[in-house]
Each structure stands twice: as structure tokens, then as C-alpha cells.
Amino acid sequence: MVRKSIPPRRRGRPAGGSDALVKGVLDATLKLLGERGYARLAIEDVAAAAGVNKTTVYRRWPDKAALVLAALAARPRSEPKFLETGDLRADVRAVLESKARRLSSPSGRTMAHALMSVPADDAISSKLRAARFGVSSSLIQAAKDRGELPADVDPDLAAELLLAPIVNRIVVLGESASH
């Protein structure tokens, strides 16, 4: 009887598995965040939903806030990039209509509820805030630069004040924002 030599087992992780693993964890994070909100999101549950050990999650993301930020940053954007026209009124209207459309979808409403449950600590909320109001803030800043708005207008506050009624009506009250 001739014995065949068995090749030695390779050490380390299999090649190419990391991207799929990361995608699985981030997808599971978004799904559970939408279902449960930030407060009830547990890394152990994310790991179980992704089919990995919790140490695999902690190896890449040190805490829940870092994991949620990574998942939000990685989610696909289906909206085309907003292009300013230079007409403040038209641009504000377009941004508000776009926000209302996104929030009116079931996934948009679910994600908005989840994001509203994120605590207001500096690490996560400032990045989420910048993402939520970034387009509006930049178009208000551009209007200031063109002289359409007074120099003392705070673009971030103005953006928040413009978007807050839409968020309240759709997400909090569950009503339509159409006229």
C-alpha cells in the first residue's frame, strides 16, 4: 500500500475572505440597527446575524459606535450627487423634496428612527450630523458666499432648521410631507 503525502495545512486566514466577512458584518449591523435602534443593538447579535464570532467584530471595530459609523459609511447611496444651480430657493426646495422622498420610503423611515436613537456623544453624532445636513449646509454657505444671505447666518443651524420639520412630520408623526 502506497501512502500519499498530505500537504501541510496553511496557517492564517483564507485569502479573499475578509471583504465578504466585513460586508456581512456591516450589512447585519444596518439590518439590526434598523430593527432595534442604537440602544438595543448588541455586537453579540450582529456577530450572530453575520455568522461570525464577536471577537471577529471587535478585532475590526473597537466598539458599537465605530461599528455603526462604518456600517453607515459603507451603505450604498442610490441618490445622484446634488448639483447646486445657484438659485437658493430652487436648491433648497430640491434638497427638501429629496429628503422627504428618502424619509418617506420604509427603509428611509426605519433608518431615520434608528439614527435618532444614537446617543449624542461626539464620536458618532457629529459624523452623522455632518452627513445628514452636509448638502444643505454647503448650499447655504454657497448662498452666503454669493451674498444672497447675511454673513452672520450659521449654515449648519439653518440646514437643521430647514430639515427638522420634514423629519418631524415624516419620522416622528408618521405623516406625509406632500402638500
Side-chain angles (χ1 to χ4, degrees), residues 109-123:
R109 191 174 290 121
T110 299
M111 192 53 62
H113 277 289
L115 295 176
M116 289 172 73
S117 71
V118 173
D121 75 359
D122 292 334

Side-chain angles (χ1 to χ4, degrees), residues 77-153:
R77 300 279 186 229
S78 58
E79 296 249 336
K81 185 170 172 70
F82 180 77
L83 300 173
E84 292 181 43
T85 65
D87 177 348
L88 179 60
R89 184 182 181 108
D91 288 346
V92 167
R93 183 180 182 126
V95 166
L96 296 177
E97 288 172 349
S98 174
K99 183 65 134 181
R101 271 193 311 277
R102 282 194 318 269
L103 290 174
S104 294
S105 72
S107 64
R109 191 174 290 121
T110 299
M111 192 53 62
H113 277 289
L115 295 176
M116 289 172 73
S117 71
V118 173
D121 75 359
D122 292 334
I124 193 168
S125 66
S126 64
K127 289 182 182 180
L128 292 175
R129 188 178 192 77
R132 261 187 294 208
F133 303 120
V135 170
S136 305
S137 295
S138 66
L139 76 88
I140 292 168
Q141 182 62 52
K144 276 179 57 173
D145 295 345
R146 290 190 303 268
E148 289 183 75
L149 292 173
D152 63 345
V153 169

Side-chain angles (χ1 to χ4, degrees), residues 9 19 47 51-52 57 63 110 122 153 164 176 179:
R9 185 175 156 231
D19 291 344
V52 299
V57 177
D63 55 31
T110 299
D122 292 334
V153 169
S176 170
H179 41 281

